[in-house]
Amino acid sequence: MNFLVGLIFSAIVAIVVLLVPWIGVGVLHLYTIFGIVVPYLAILIFLIGMILRVIDWGRSPVPFRIPTTAGQQWSFPWIKHSWIENPKDSKGVIVRMALEVLCFRSLFRNVRLEYRRIENLPKVAFEWEKWLWMAAIAFHYSFLVIFLRHFRFFTNPIPSFVKIIEKLDGFFQAGVLPIPGLTIPEVYITDLLLLAAVTYLLLRRLYIPQVRYVSLPSDYFPLFLILGIGTTGVLMRYFLRVDVTKVKELAFGLFKFHPHVPDGIGTIFFIHLFFVCTLIAYIPFSKICHMAGIFLSPTRNLSNNSRFKRHINPWDNKPAWEYPGMVHTYEEYEEEFRDVMIEAGIPVEKMPEKKEEEKPEQEQ
Amino acid sequence: MRPKNVPEPEELSKIDHKPPLFESWMDKKPEFKPGFYCYGAKAKNIAAVGMPNPRDWSPTDEDWKLPENWKEIFLNGMKERLEKYRSFKLFMDICVRCGACADKCHYFIGSGDPKNMPVLRAELLRSVYRKYFTTGGKLFGKLAGARELTFDVLKEIWYYLYQCSECRRCSLFCPYGIDTAEITILGRELTNLLGLNTDWIQASVANCYRTGNHIGLQPHAYKDMIEFLCDECEEVTGIRPQPQFNKKGAEILFVTPSGDVFADPGTYTCMGYLLLFHYLQEEYGFDITWSTYASEGGNFGYFTSHEMAKRLHAKIYMEAKRLGVKWILGGECGHMWRLLNQYIDTFNGPPDYLEEPVSPITGTKFEHAKGHKIVHIVEFTADLIRHNKLKLDPSRNDHLVLTFHDSCNPARGMGFFEEPRYVIKSVCRNFYEMPSNTIREQTFCCGSGAGLNAGENMELRMRGGLPRANAVKYVHEKYGVNMMACICAIDRAALPVLMQYWVPEVDITGVHELVGNALVFKNEKKRTTDLRGNPFVGAEEEQGDAV
Ligand code: SF4
Ligand code: SF4
């Protein structure tokens, strides 16, 4: 299965995701199903799936303390301890994790291999490469902002933080597009950023040979879903306007568990919603569950304290010599080598009976 | 001495890092290239430690003589480990194949083989995981990245698990901290359920088990070797160290990798230890003992399975207990120190029969080691120097222009960066760092770690060591560096060959060799050479030149 197969397969699935609500609502008018059943179902799958997943991970214990140490250990007072990159206690771990989760610390380290041959001899160099980090930051934060902006549909009155976010988000673009005759609402910068970032992530998957080589359909598919969500969202907001009050009525009903679907919401909305639901329901079964997994990652969330604080392995808490036959004991060792040991003047525990004459110098 | 059976650097360096456009890695059959893998474990060495499926076999054999139900054993083993190791389970699930780790692995950089990208190395196992342990994989097969565990897949997994040196460089760059070394360690455990170790590892394991050290030196031979090094010390310095062996009631037990005892240039490091201990004994009544039973700090079990690692390293605590020492001093070794830091107390602790380590000379409490009760000799020496307890003449290392190689395990499995630099800078005057993305936590492997330090896989080693060698070459050309220090016995065995191949002008030393050079004894003879017999600067021309 080369990358084309993967790409085409996931594209087909994404197209199906597009067509299902289009036909379901546009042709068959299954409003209740696509407006009420699907969203509830998706949330349910997401919640249950995610909880099960985390429980499942949590059920496997952490037998050893294996943080990846990325800075100086804590040792002498006169050596500067790198307390975040090599934490010795939970304070350090919390800061380390915060940097990891909020700033993508590790990804920030990224560099790109630049391999050349000069006069037939190799030269290994590393070039600046922060694009992936930037795209990841742009993508995740835009997603977050857009997610928060959507609170305006679920709340009444709209909380002030949502309004502030909207203000800030729209601020930069306000008035940039005053094309006469076209009434375009404020453009949200995150809409553009999200689409740009996802497009970049998709293109780099195809463009960078190593990444292309390892990519699976499950790598393209979420990108297509997000592209679908973004595109339909943008279409709705700027071009194929839907009745926002009615959308809000629907969302509000769902939120308050009094769901009903008002008439006259455009099909495009249901397509958007279906993309969102598919993504949400897909998360627990896919690599997107990394959003929860990162918190459990033992190379990041453990402190490097095993030299002064005992870490207990729940399924094996006894030293090796307390199990039968696991170690080669000193007694067995001496039994085998006693003669040569004595000859070499190495102290032994047990002198052989016959040779007590030539007792070598021993102990203290 | 250039390694044999390896193409010339000009040839070898033609590396293409771009995988073919339309190739599918899942369908590509493994191809065992000579020079990339080690011999299969011999029956007697597998049987010696009671591990499964002892028989002689070779990786190139058609028939690996596996048990009838090998698939079941492998999959059950996988299931068991998924339930026992959160790391394993999580790392099987959360990789997003972003590729950030791809070009960070020295084996990929040096070979261009896409399956040496950490992400793909892990995917080999992950594809099997998906097939048997996830719904998506069961339903959609290859489309979900899932593969049947066939004999070919097993062979491929084996081939690439034994091309990973468990260096953890990839884990540093992964946004989720996925540690391919951890996957390799657990993957190798699975191969060992089927008796599929390499003999280089398995023979060392068997030797460690029986004789206490990996080359199988029996107690008298071990002592002889050290006595021989004492002769050498005497020749150079006029001082003869008086090491003690298996001494009950000594204050401290010393454990170092046995490589230091028998193989150049580790032996010079060993001479450094001997001289240091002797100095401390004379000046301060230091009381330390070597052990022939716990005569290996290195742990070849770790390249086999967690259990085997636990079994072998148990000897250190058992011996400390038997001898009744207060605490343990550990020599310069890489993976040994990752184990001592992250595993030993969990494996075989708590060592409550020992005392919290205190330097008998400076009174410094080694707070940070109060749990496992083992101090790194470089920490110990750094503390001595800090308290002015050693008379040192750094000019005796003036013939050397140093750089320092951070060994992977103390770097990314401990965070041991400043202590060795402090000691080096105290005993040498010419020191230059390699470029920042090749040292400290970003350090590059020697290319021979985790049991890959054999002779038959030389090409792999020379390829894997390329990024390290390249950085050495850079400081050699820029600053005239002619010696690289390290604190790892595998490094001391592997790097000289690597240097011979890529940068022959540079040689390898342990840190305590440099200490041994610089250490000034009260009653030493006039010293004109370093521990290797190389003349000090100014010493070769005694023709009236002011020194
Ligand atoms: S960096 Fe981590 S997430 Fe990205 S491909 Fe490598 S292992 Fe997977
Ligand atoms: S642990 Fe080291 S050798 Fe193994 S895959 Fe990662 S970078 Fe490569």
Side-chain angles (χ1 to χ4, degrees):
Chain A
M1 189 186 63
N2 63 44
F3 82 99
L4 273 181
V5 180
L7 190 64
I8 292 169
F9 173 72
S10 46
I12 291 174
V13 179
I15 290 170
V16 172
V17 176
L18 169 75
L19 290 179
V20 167
W22 202 336
I23 297 169
V25 174
V27 181
L28 305 171
H29 306 293
L30 300 169
Y31 290 103
T32 316
I33 291 191
F34 286 93
I36 296 170
V37 178
V38 168
Y40 277 142
L41 206 64
I43 302 259
L44 210 64
I45 296 176
F46 171 76
L47 287 178
I48 294 177
M50 220 49 207
I51 289 169
L52 289 182
R53 167 117 292 171
V54 172
I55 289 178
D56 191 34
W57 285 333
R59 254 207 326 247
S60 300
V62 181
F64 301 109
R65 192 160 273 267
I66 53 162
T68 303
T69 56
Q72 170 63 34
Q73 68 161 355
W74 174 66
S75 57
F76 300 117
W78 49 273
I79 286 182
K80 198 163 168 283
H81 169 220
S82 174
W83 65 278
I84 300 176
E85 302 282 20
N86 189 348
K88 79 186 246 285
D89 48 27
S90 19
K91 181 179 116 202
V93 169
I94 290 169
V95 178
R96 187 182 199 194
M97 285 303 290
L99 282 175
E100 202 63 86
V101 172
L102 300 174
C103 309
F104 305 171
R105 169 73 185 97
S106 293
L107 198 55
F108 189 73
R109 285 200 182 92
N110 197 24
V111 284
R112 185 169 50 83
L113 168 70
E114 194 57 61
Y115 184 77
R116 281 181 292 254
R117 289 173 82 239
I118 295 168
E119 288 162 16
N120 285 330
L121 285 174
K123 189 147 168 31
V124 182
F126 298 92
E127 301 286 326
W128 186 92
E129 145 63 38
K130 298 273 181 268
W131 295 113
L132 178 58
W133 178 82
M134 285 198 280
I137 287 277
F139 169 73
H140 287 87
Y141 276 96
S142 303
F143 210 100
L144 179 67
V145 168
I146 293 171
F147 176 70
L148 291 177
R149 276 208 271 106
H150 278 66
F151 273 64
R152 71 155 35 247
F153 294 104
F154 299 100
T155 48
N156 209 3
I158 298 164
S160 52
F161 82 90
V162 175
K163 290 189 178 153
I164 294 171
I165 288 174
E166 286 181 342
K167 263 248 163 56
L168 284 175
D169 199 358
F171 176 76
F172 307 99
Q173 290 290 329
V176 171
L177 277 177
I179 306 165
L182 206 73
T183 48
I184 281 191
E186 263 183 318
V187 173
Y188 286 129
I189 199 162
T190 45
D191 287 352
L192 301 179
L193 267 180
L194 180 83
L195 285 177
V198 175
T199 310
Y200 170 78
L201 291 176
L202 184 59
L203 289 181
R204 81 179 275 285
R205 225 173 240 298
L206 297 172
Y207 174 74
I208 302 175
Q210 296 93 3
V211 186
R212 179 177 59 222
Y213 195 72
V214 302
S215 290
L216 296 171
S218 58
D219 295 314
Y220 301 113
F221 182 56
L223 290 175
F224 286 140
L225 285 182
I226 292 162
L227 269 179
I229 293 171
T231 319
T232 49
V234 164
L235 278 177
M236 249 191 301
R237 178 163 169 80
Y238 304 106
F239 304 104
L240 306 167
R241 309 294 302 273
V242 291
D243 190 334
V244 177
T245 36
K246 286 185 177 153
V247 170
K248 183 153 181 170
E249 209 180 310
L250 169 65
F252 213 69
L254 285 171
F255 196 63
K256 294 259 142 128
F257 296 105
H258 281 300
H260 86 109
V261 185
D263 290 336
I265 302 178
T267 311
I268 179 86
F269 168 78
F270 290 96
I271 298 177
H272 181 70
L273 186 62
F274 194 71
F275 268 123
V276 174
C277 292
T278 312
L279 182 71
I280 290 176
Y282 178 61
I283 289 174
F285 309 99
S286 67
K287 64 170 195 177
I288 315 175
C289 62
H290 68 253
M291 60 197 267
I294 169 80
F295 290 97
L296 296 179
S297 183
T299 62
R300 294 293 186 273
N301 73 4
L302 292 171
S303 56
N304 181 33
N305 66 1
S306 31
R307 293 183 74 187
F308 48 93
K309 210 165 169 277
R310 181 149 196 259
H311 178 93
I312 289 174
N313 176 353
W315 45 262
D316 174 15
N317 191 21
K318 283 195 292 182
W321 55 85
E322 289 188 15
Y323 296 91
M326 249 180 130
V327 291
H328 188 61
T329 61
Y330 176 79
E331 289 68 37
E332 291 167 309
Y333 171 85
E334 188 181 303
E335 206 52 50
E336 180 173 358
F337 297 116
R338 186 169 295 120
D339 292 347
V340 286
M341 287 174 81
I342 292 171
E343 207 168 306
I346 299 169
V348 291
E349 296 269 349
K350 221 167 88 190
M351 282 312 249
E353 267 138 46
K354 279 169 206 147
K355 286 191 194 164
E356 73 239 314
E357 253 52 284
E358 5 154 356
K359 196 172 183 179
E361 75 281 11
Q362 203 190 344
E363 285 170 34
Q364 284 130 36
Chain B
M1 234 196 348
R2 272 273 182 92
K4 279 176 242 127
N5 299 330
V6 180
E8 290 299 299
E10 292 75 18
E11 198 47 45
L12 187 128
S13 63
K14 291 179 185 154
I15 306 164
D16 183 8
H17 293 94
K18 294 194 181 69
L21 187 55
F22 288 112
E23 188 177 281
S24 156
W25 66 262
M26 287 196 207
D27 303 327
K28 196 164 178 257
K29 283 210 172 183
E31 180 199 338
F32 281 51
K33 290 198 208 119
F36 285 76
Y37 58 90
C38 298
Y39 303 138
K42 294 209 176 70
K44 66 171 202 294
N45 293 326
I46 301 178
V49 286
M51 285 174 48
N53 201 17
R55 82 262 171 251
D56 289 332
W57 69 289
S58 160
T60 45
D61 285 348
E62 269 307 305
D63 179 8
W64 280 8
K65 299 179 208 154
L66 299 176
E68 196 79 32
N69 59 340
W70 67 267
K71 227 182 259 191
E72 196 186 321
I73 295 174
F74 191 96
L75 292 173
N76 285 342
M78 203 164 179
K79 179 158 182 288
E80 186 189 335
R81 279 154 191 79
L82 288 165
E83 285 162 4
K84 279 185 169 175
Y85 293 84
R86 186 178 300 164
S87 50
F88 193 37
K89 187 158 213 175
L90 202 67
F91 296 163
M92 287 292 111
D93 280 330
I94 60 175
C95 172
V96 299
R97 289 164 296 280
C98 67
C101 58
D103 53 2
K104 307 304 182 288
C105 177
H106 49 285
Y107 290 118
F108 176 65
I109 296 173
S111 72
D113 184 339
K115 283 171 186 162
N116 269 328
M117 296 190 279
V119 45
L120 209 46
R121 195 189 308 284
E123 285 287 302
L124 299 179
L125 215 53
R126 236 180 242 131
S127 62
V128 173
Y129 164 74
R130 292 195 195 100
K131 179 79 198 171
Y132 299 93
F133 300 95
T134 71
T135 326
K138 280 178 197 152
L139 289 178
F140 300 109
K142 279 195 182 154
L143 287 170
R147 281 195 309 179
E148 194 98 28
L149 178 62
T150 61
F151 183 49
D152 275 339
V153 168
L154 176 72
K155 278 168 103 175
E156 185 180 46
I157 288 174
W158 185 87
Y159 185 62
Y160 288 102
L161 285 179
Y162 291 85
Q163 287 187 46
C164 166
S165 60
E166 301 174 4
C167 78
R168 307 188 103 197
R169 192 167 193 271
C170 46
S171 87
L172 185 72
F173 291 89
C174 173
Y176 315 115
I178 293 174
D179 182 7
T180 305
E182 181 79 356
I183 298 174
T184 298
I185 292 169
L186 289 162
R188 286 191 185 184
E189 280 195 8
L190 298 176
T191 61
N192 272 287
L193 297 176
L194 304 174
L196 296 175
N197 212 341
T198 71
D199 200 55
W200 201 83
I201 298 173
Q202 194 70 42
S204 303
V205 165
N207 280 336
C208 286
Y209 187 75
R210 176 166 165 254
T211 65
N213 58 76
H214 85 276
I215 27 159
L217 287 177
Q218 300 191 3
H220 57 300
Y222 186 78
K223 183 170 181 235
D224 266 4
M225 296 292 255
I226 292 180
E227 299 281 348
F228 170 76
L229 295 178
C230 293
D231 296 345
E232 298 277 293
C233 286
E234 188 172 13
E235 199 153 298
V236 177
T237 64
I239 306 280
R240 189 181 166 84
Q242 309 286 338
Q244 323 183 83
F245 294 90
N246 299 12
K247 185 193 163 197
K248 281 203 168 169
E251 188 171 358
I252 298 165
L253 167 66
F254 181 59
V255 178
T256 198
S258 63
D260 287 347
V261 175
F262 80 98
D264 289 352
T267 45
Y268 302 115
T269 306
C270 196
M271 287 162 71
Y273 303 148
L274 288 163
L275 287 168
L276 175 71
F277 296 159
H278 189 74
Y279 182 97
L280 298 174
Q281 195 182 330
E282 300 267 281
E283 299 278 326
Y284 309 103
F286 190 57
D287 185 12
I288 194 164
T289 183
W290 299 66
S291 164
T292 59
Y293 171 65
S295 48
E296 180 66 85
N299 189 334
F300 296 80
Y302 191 51
F303 312 142
T304 303
S305 69
H306 284 96
E307 183 183 307
M308 205 60 230
K310 176 180 169 127
R311 291 173 65 185
L312 293 183
H313 255 178
K315 287 190 180 184
I316 298 178
Y317 278 160
M318 288 166 80
E319 184 68 342
K321 193 174 179 183
R322 183 182 76 89
L323 297 177
V325 300
K326 289 189 180 152
W327 51 274
I328 300 160
L329 187 68
E332 297 180 14
C333 180
H335 71 276
M336 158 179 165
W337 269 98
R338 176 162 187 220
L339 278 147
L340 296 185
N341 178 36
Q342 300 195 324
Y343 295 88
I344 195 167
D345 195 25
T346 306
F347 277 157
N348 292 315
D352 37 24
Y353 34 85
L354 303 180
E355 291 176 18
E356 292 181 12
V358 177
S359 168
I361 294 141
T362 65
T364 300
K365 277 194 181 155
F366 298 99
E367 260 325 304
H368 62 293
K370 70 175 185 207
H372 71 161
K373 297 174 173 93
I374 311 177
V375 176
H376 196 298
I377 191 168
V378 172
E379 291 171 336
F380 180 72
T381 304
D383 175 65
L384 290 172
I385 296 174
R386 180 80 183 179
H387 287 88
N388 259 321
K389 297 291 182 190
L390 302 179
K391 188 156 184 250
L392 298 167
D393 177 2
S395 72
R396 289 182 182 171
N397 282 315
D398 276 356
H399 57 304
L400 304 177
V401 186
L402 266 300
T403 190
F404 180 66
H405 162 69
D406 288 279
S407 312
C408 309
N409 282 296
R412 287 179 287 262
M414 187 171 175
F416 201 63
F417 303 119
E418 294 306 333
E419 293 88 346
R421 286 176 169 78
Y422 177 78
V423 172
I424 292 173
K425 286 176 190 167
S426 305
V427 296
C428 307
R429 300 198 291 192
N430 314 313
F431 176 75
Y432 299 94
E433 292 278 14
M434 286 179 280
S436 65
N437 50 20
T438 69
I439 54 167
R440 295 182 186 259
E441 72 276 7
Q442 302 208 18
T443 190
F444 271 112
C445 181
C446 60
S448 309
L452 304 184
N453 194 18
E456 60 269 22
N457 61 342
M458 197 52 92
E459 181 168 346
L460 175 78
R461 292 174 49 194
M462 295 304 107
R463 287 180 179 276
L466 167 60
R468 168 43 75 229
N470 215 250
V472 178
K473 194 170 158 126
Y474 175 82
V475 281
H476 166 67
E477 282 166 5
K478 192 153 175 197
Y479 306 112
V481 164
N482 58 14
M483 186 64 95
M484 176 154 68
C486 61
I487 46 169
C488 171
I490 289 185
D491 281 337
R492 285 190 284 274
L495 286 171
V497 194
L498 186 76
M499 291 300 119
Q500 280 303 316
Y501 185 78
W502 290 112
V503 203
E505 303 84 355
V506 177
D507 212 340
I508 304 300
T509 178
V511 169
H512 274 79
E513 178 182 343
L514 302 169
V515 174
N517 282 343
L519 204 54
V520 182
F521 287 83
K522 267 195 216 115
N523 43 356
E524 64 185 16
K525 71 175 196 190
K526 185 169 167 38
R527 281 166 74 172
T528 51
T529 71
D530 64 11
L531 298 181
R532 300 185 184 198
N534 293 327
F536 291 146
V537 172
E540 67 238 77
E541 306 119 28
E542 293 273 83
Q543 311 121 326
D545 272 315
V547 181

